[in-house]
Amino acid sequence: MSRIVVVSNRVADPRKTAAAGGLAVALADVLNSTGGLWFGWSGKVVETAEGGKAGEGTVHTHQAGPVKLVTVDLSREDHDSFYLGYSNGVLWPVFHYRLDLADFDAGYIGGYRRVNQLFARKLQPLLQDDDVIWVHDYHLIPLAAELRALGCQQRIGFFLHIPLPPPLILAAIPGHDWLMRGLCAYDLVGFQSQADLGHFGHYIETEAHAQQVEAGRWRVFGRVVQAGAFPIGIDVDEFTALAEAPEGREMFHRMRNEYSRRKLLVGVDRVDYSKGLPHRLRAFREMLQKYPETRKSATLIQIASPSRENVSAYTDLLHEMESLCGAINGNYGELDWMPVRYIHRNVARPRLPGIYRAARVALVTPLRDGMNLVAKEYIAAQDPADPGVLVLSRFAGAAEQLKEALLVNPYDTEGTAGAIHLALQMPLEERQARHRGLMETIRRYDGHWWCDSFLDALGKAKAEETGTPWLRL
Ligand code: ADQ
């Protein structure tokens, strides 16, 4: 089996999956078994005064068991234009359909390209001929084209963790044609959902005159590109084991004792405008207003982990959350009952399953989300004999798979309030039946399935396309 080389903005030690979660868990097996390499940014920003020069960065190498972790520092200038500017100030909002929040500063795109070239230059000498390279997420869309420009002929695949919007939204990005051309330099492009894959096909057909060769394969920019939907999953066994481990159990019992007289609702998110946090709070408030019997009996615990706090859209969101929580507690709270407990902090990963399991309802109501792993973690953590109910936004990628959840439109405050009320009242038999269906899906399409099916398709994509000219940006 070929060595797997993973490239992503941030790198995690695959031996410490319990702390890292997410990508590290999904990739740990394949990286460990192939003695892989994981390449990305070190997280360190070198100030100009300390010698940090644009387009340059020191490389660090660290052996983590069989896996080699290689990271590179970024200069202040590169960090600000590549990471804060183009990746999180342009691509993140636009890909989440928020043109109103994008900052189309003309200088950012130069920094974005410079860092992708820096990554390509530092990675290329480390590559072996039969490596398979798997690049992750919006920070690194042009990386394949930059590697090709240096002569790399290995198979290169790309997975987009966030949504891809429809062509007319994408086309608002100055330089979108350059960006999408770069995306087509990969041998295989993976998306979270059929909807995102549809937007990709529609974009290249309308904007770049692509011709579909067969399902999921197009001739475009003088080569053939293959794309597919590979919905990311979690390691269900790892997560249920965490729920049964001492820390998970202790957390569960603490929550159950503390809230023995209430039905708990839980939300767990990064603080991000895509997650629909204020909309969720307004829907919960609407439910308290419309169904007075839920007052004193329902408590919402919203755990929100700090994220990108140096970006202004995020500071505004934090203020909005604090004032909404304060207003709900002020208007509806009693001496012995607070409707909302808002915790702006990270919770240690081993504790999460206990919190999920103690909650009768999970509110996963993003305005737009590539997939949303919290939805899947909540299902995995439930007691099958007495499971809770998932209220899920139809705009999360997960909604394509999790049909037995209560699907809501988070922009519709009244409708969402009604669904939350229904979830709180749902009889045991219906909860069990829905949970069985959901569990079956997350087991079938778990993190291992995601990894294996993508790498399998990437292996086949290259074999069929030998001789295709590489795309240069
Ligand atoms: P994220 O936007 O970060 O990921 P998500 O899929 O929900 O969103 O993953 C968040 C992870 O962080 C979960 O494992 C969750 O348990 C954890 N987490 C969140 N808040 C936490 C808190 N307060 N304390 C502790 N842990 C917390 C991006 C895309 C998603 C896509 C993933 C994976 O935006 O749509 O599902 O990548 O592809």
Side-chain angles (χ1 to χ4, degrees):
M1 191 182 180
S2 299
R3 182 176 75 152
I4 300 298
V5 175
V6 172
V7 191
S8 58
N9 183 51
R10 295 308 305 273
V11 169
D13 187 335
R15 290 171 308 180
K16 300 180 186 158
T17 49
L23 201 57
V25 178
L27 296 172
D29 278 358
V30 65
L31 278 168
N32 284 326
S33 64
T34 65
L37 188 155
W38 194 343
F39 184 94
W41 173 36
S42 63
K44 186 172 173 204
V45 180
V46 185
E47 300 297 338
T48 319
E50 295 166 14
K53 276 205 193 116
E56 288 179 25
T58 307
V59 172
H60 309 271
T61 304
H62 174 73
Q63 196 67 37
V67 182
K68 193 183 265 186
L69 307 179
V70 182
T71 57
V72 55
D73 300 338
L74 291 183
S75 69
R76 166 64 58 196
E77 191 182 338
D78 283 347
H79 170 264
D80 289 359
S81 53
F82 157 78
Y83 182 73
L84 296 179
Y86 202 74
S87 299
N88 289 319
V90 177
L91 298 183
W92 178 273
V94 175
F95 281 30
H96 287 90
Y97 300 58
R98 293 298 302 269
L99 286 174
D100 57 319
L101 293 178
D103 173 11
F104 298 112
D105 184 312
Y108 293 158
I109 197 164
Y112 181 72
R113 179 157 196 198
R114 201 163 56 234
V115 171
N116 274 275
Q117 285 171 330
L118 169 69
F119 271 34
R121 262 198 336 273
K122 300 290 184 188
L123 177 61
Q124 189 258 343
L126 309 175
L127 295 175
Q128 299 163 6
D129 286 349
D130 66 343
D131 280 347
V132 170
I133 306 166
W134 190 2
V135 180
H136 291 263
D137 232 358
Y138 59 103
H139 314 86
L140 301 172
I141 293 173
L143 188 65
E146 301 298 354
L147 284 167
R148 299 293 186 217
L150 298 176
C152 292
Q153 305 222 343
Q154 289 84 350
R155 272 163 290 175
I156 315 181
F158 178 84
F159 186 78
L160 185 68
H161 289 257
I162 65 176
L164 189 80
L168 283 180
I169 293 184
L170 260 182
I173 302 176
H176 61 94
D177 37 356
W178 170 80
L179 193 72
M180 294 303 281
R181 210 178 143 85
L183 191 55
C184 292
Y186 288 92
D187 297 302
L188 174 67
V189 181
F191 296 101
Q192 297 274 27
S193 67
Q194 290 294 338
D196 299 331
L197 176 63
H199 296 154
F200 173 73
H202 193 190
Y203 177 97
I204 55 173
E205 283 168 15
T206 53
E207 299 277 332
H209 312 293
Q211 283 179 332
Q212 192 158 17
V213 182
E214 58 182 296
R217 281 162 63 85
W218 289 265
R219 188 170 298 286
V220 63
F221 303 123
R223 69 188 302 268
V224 172
V225 64
Q226 183 163 331
F230 301 88
I232 194 168
I234 61 165
D235 186 327
V236 178
D237 291 331
E238 183 248 11
F239 210 77
T240 21
L242 268 186
E244 297 297 336
E247 227 175 319
R249 291 172 83 99
E250 195 226 299
M251 198 64 212
F252 170 74
H253 289 300
R254 256 176 58 194
M255 300 291 288
R256 274 282 156 101
N257 290 340
E258 182 72 25
Y259 296 97
S260 54
R261 291 158 49 220
R262 325 266 182 228
K263 281 183 185 162
L264 274 189
L265 300 100
V266 74
V268 175
D269 310 76
R270 269 187 315 103
V271 176
D272 192 284
Y273 47 78
S274 64
K275 302 293 180 186
L277 295 168
H279 298 70
R280 181 182 307 169
L281 287 170
R282 284 194 285 268
F284 181 66
R285 178 177 63 190
E286 175 74 16
M287 185 200 69
L288 297 176
Q289 179 61 33
K290 206 165 161 192
Y291 306 97
E293 78 278 8
T294 57
R295 295 182 205 165
K296 284 192 125 182
S297 72
T299 297
L300 168 61
I301 299 191
Q302 177 61 57
I303 301 170
S305 64
S307 168
R308 302 175 198 159
E309 291 187 326
N310 40 4
V311 178
S312 69
Y314 291 77
T315 357
D316 295 348
L317 177 62
L318 280 179
H319 290 144
E320 190 180 1
M321 288 292 289
E322 278 159 18
S323 93
L324 262 170
C325 292
I328 297 173
N329 284 339
N331 292 335
Y332 294 92
E334 307 268 350
L335 283 173
D336 60 348
W337 171 67
M338 277 297 155
V340 183
R341 297 201 59 178
Y342 170 54
I343 299 155
H344 181 212
R345 214 174 307 131
N346 249 313
V347 170
R349 200 173 144 74
R351 294 180 156 196
L352 273 179
I355 301 175
Y356 289 141
R357 199 170 179 131
R360 169 56 64 87
V361 176
L363 302 182
V364 180
T365 54
L367 303 179
R368 202 58 70 173
D369 219 330
M371 175 55 58
N372 196 298
L373 294 180
V374 171
K376 296 185 173 181
E377 291 169 356
Y378 177 75
I379 297 163
Q382 296 309 298
D383 173 1
D386 184 19
V389 181
L390 174 64
V391 174
L392 178 65
S393 163
R394 56 173 297 177
F395 303 124
E400 270 189 12
Q401 293 182 295
L402 305 180
K403 299 288 184 210
E404 295 87 351
L406 287 183
L407 294 186
V408 296
N409 166 9
Y411 294 96
D412 173 4
T413 311
E414 251 187 71
T416 307
I420 301 173
H421 184 243
L422 196 69
L424 283 168
Q425 313 297 320
M426 193 178 281
L428 178 65
E429 252 177 45
E430 184 176 351
R431 283 189 279 126
Q432 288 172 332
R434 286 177 184 265
H435 181 255
R436 264 196 307 277
L438 292 167
M439 225 18 212
E440 222 176 279
T441 305
I442 66 165
R443 266 202 190 285
R444 184 173 317 147
Y445 302 105
D446 69 355
H448 303 289
W449 171 88
W450 171 73
C451 202
D452 295 346
S453 59
F454 183 91
L455 289 173
D456 187 48
L458 178 56
K460 290 181 182 146
K462 169 74 178 196
E464 291 164 19
E465 286 166 27
T466 317
T468 314
W470 304 123
L471 188 94
R472 284 180 192 277
L473 286 181

